[in-house]
Amino acid sequence: MSYRAYIDSGAWRMKRREYRKSGMKQECWCGEKRVDLHHRTYKNLGNELLHDLVPLCREHHDATHKAMKRGTKIHVAHKVAKRGGGRKRVKPQKKKALIVVQRRQKA
């Protein structure tokens, strides 16, 4: 079965549900709760263990796959994305201003 066929299958929906109910980490390391489940390895595709999956927000999931396309091995690509590979960097003074704006919007 191809990767796309598996991701569109009922078996993958059941695996995602199993992961959600498992008590394992449910959010990305950046704190985002809306996540995709990224495969640490594709060798067990269709028969993956729960620890083969990593919750990543869309931004970090995309950055992980970009790192893989640049030649980074799959088992370290999510670590590259975590360090900021593929993410736009914000200068510290702009970041502080962004935090103030976000707090005002929440109030």
Side-chain angles (χ1 to χ4, degrees):
M1 178 182 302
S2 73
Y3 173 80
R4 178 56 31 206
Y6 176 62
I7 294 301
D8 292 337
S9 74
W12 174 241
R13 283 190 293 278
M14 287 174 46
K15 183 59 75 172
R16 282 193 334 238
R17 213 172 292 130
E18 180 184 352
Y19 186 91
R20 302 273 188 245
K21 292 179 180 183
S22 71
M24 295 179 78
K25 186 175 178 178
Q26 302 292 312
E27 62 186 43
C28 186
W29 54 70
C30 66
E32 178 61 56
K33 294 184 188 312
R34 290 176 295 178
V35 295
D36 299 327
L37 290 177
H38 172 71
H39 289 83
R40 290 181 199 258
T41 178
Y42 293 109
K43 71 178 182 178
N44 299 326
L45 191 67
N47 196 24
E48 56 275 284
L49 302 173
L50 294 181
H51 69 267
D52 288 339
L53 305 170
V54 181
L56 297 175
C57 67
R58 174 52 53 187
E59 180 182 355
H60 286 116
H61 199 186
D62 290 346
T64 298
H65 283 276
K66 284 179 186 175
M68 288 167 50
K69 284 182 182 178
R70 288 191 308 262
T72 305
K73 293 183 179 176
I74 187 170
H75 66 280
V76 294
H78 67 280
K79 294 175 185 172
V80 171
K82 186 175 184 177
R83 287 194 315 260
R87 292 185 72 191
K88 293 180 181 174
R89 301 201 186 253
V90 178
K91 293 181 182 177
Q93 64 272 19
K94 289 183 180 180
K95 190 173 183 179
K96 286 181 182 178
L98 181 62
I99 292 169
V100 171
V101 170
Q102 287 176 341
R103 285 184 184 156
R104 286 183 188 156
Q105 288 176 350
K106 288 181 181 179

